[in-house]
Amino acid sequence: MNRYNLFHKIHKGLRALLYDTSMLLQRTDFTLAEEAEEAICRVQFAVSLFDQFQQSEDNFVLPVMMDYEPGLADSFEHDHEESYGMGEKLQRLAGDFQAATLPFEKIAISGTLLALFEEFTLFSILHMTREEQIVNKVLWRYYTDAELQKISWKIINAAESPFIMPYNKWMFRGLNNNEIIRWLKEVKETAREREFESLLKTAEAELHPQRWSLLQDVLLTGRLLAN
């Protein structure tokens, strides 16, 4: 029996962001101002997006775990604190790079930043995997799908408005076609019409035209694609 997965969509989006940012950093020539600025801004953005989501987990997921599995909740809270720490270091390095004026300083800082972002990426991926494999089982044991969906909507409603569009953007980039179709149908059934229309506009902007056309046809017919 498939249960409601609190983490699936957002984790796929966040993984896509990490992978894409890592590739961007690897390709960047940090002696070229325009390339370097794009990469530094992306790191700052990725850290901010992760911090925002983990704060939502701190506020809405860990408290419901604490009622039944306090030791496990403490363990994941510790993970978040470690992630926040790495994020703060990355933000400082990004600021140091932007303030540096000498080429050798920029090259040295960029090397440190790249190594730390790789560490941040590995840590975040392992943490998300632990959440999917461990936290989900705890939530499924004690909460119904309807209750978990309410938690999910609390997280969405509490998200700061500048982050909502980026979350959606990276989820569209990270999800497969059937996952996107299920997501759009869920939003259509539960959200206001203007929110659904806004999501459709994001989908059209982010997906390849051929893929977007296919999804439109599927949404109209109400079927899912063959696996």
Side-chain angles (χ1 to χ4, degrees):
M1 177 181 177
N2 291 326
R3 295 293 310 274
Y4 186 82
N5 191 326
L6 195 65
F7 303 108
H8 182 73
K9 292 193 296 292
I10 185 61
H11 278 187
K12 290 195 81 171
L14 291 173
R15 285 190 181 95
L17 172 60
L18 288 173
Y19 300 149
D20 191 80
T21 303
S22 294
M23 287 299 299
L24 174 63
L25 288 173
Q26 289 185 176
R27 292 193 304 262
T28 297
D29 181 348
F30 284 92
T31 65
L32 300 178
E34 189 173 341
E35 282 192 27
E37 183 63 17
E38 180 186 2
I40 293 298
C41 288
R42 172 67 76 79
V43 169
Q44 293 171 319
F45 165 77
V47 169
S48 296
L49 206 63
F50 266 84
D51 281 356
Q52 167 71 23
F53 180 67
Q54 289 185 149
Q55 288 168 13
S56 297
E57 291 184 328
D58 290 340
N59 292 332
F60 300 107
V61 179
L62 295 186
V64 300
M65 288 176 58
M66 188 67 71
D67 292 339
Y68 299 100
E69 302 282 354
L72 190 61
D74 286 341
S75 171
F76 280 90
E77 184 178 14
H78 177 75
D79 276 5
H80 287 180
E81 290 172 356
E82 189 169 348
S83 177
Y84 292 140
M86 282 191 283
E88 289 174 2
K89 291 178 183 177
L90 283 166
Q91 296 284 24
R92 284 199 299 271
L93 284 168
D96 290 344
F97 183 92
Q98 290 169 326
T101 56
L102 298 175
F104 78 88
E105 291 180 312
K106 288 182 175 291
I107 291 173
I109 295 169
S110 67
T112 304
L113 185 144
L114 179 56
L116 182 56
F117 192 83
E118 289 175 347
E119 181 182 348
F120 178 77
T121 296
L122 177 60
F123 180 88
S124 299
I125 289 172
L126 291 175
H127 173 75
M128 288 188 286
T129 300
R130 287 184 64 226
E131 285 183 326
E132 292 162 5
Q133 294 178 347
I134 299 173
V135 176
N136 263 335
K137 290 180 181 178
V138 172
L139 296 175
W140 292 336
R141 186 181 306 134
Y142 297 110
Y143 296 95
T144 66
D145 285 352
E147 290 170 329
L148 294 177
Q149 196 163 17
K150 287 181 181 178
I151 294 172
S152 180
W153 280 107
K154 286 181 181 178
I155 292 173
I156 294 169
N157 291 331
E160 296 179 16
S161 56
F163 292 102
I164 294 174
M165 187 70 75
Y167 280 139
N168 292 339
K169 167 183 172 177
W170 285 99
M171 284 191 285
F172 279 122
R173 292 186 179 190
L175 294 170
N176 66 39
N177 287 346
N178 276 335
E179 290 166 340
I180 291 174
I181 292 164
R182 292 189 184 98
W183 177 24
L184 291 173
K185 287 182 176 180
E186 177 185 339
V187 173
K188 185 175 183 179
E189 293 170 359
T190 57
R192 287 169 290 198
E193 184 175 353
R194 62 184 177 84
E195 293 171 340
F196 178 66
E197 293 297 326
S198 175
L199 195 61
L200 286 180
K201 289 180 181 179
T202 304
E204 185 176 9
E206 291 302 323
L207 298 174
H208 186 279
Q210 185 176 2
R211 192 179 180 199
W212 169 238
S213 178
L214 173 64
L215 291 176
Q216 283 183 299
D217 290 342
V218 173
L219 286 170
L220 286 172
T221 60
R223 62 183 174 83
L224 292 180
L225 299 170
N227 291 324

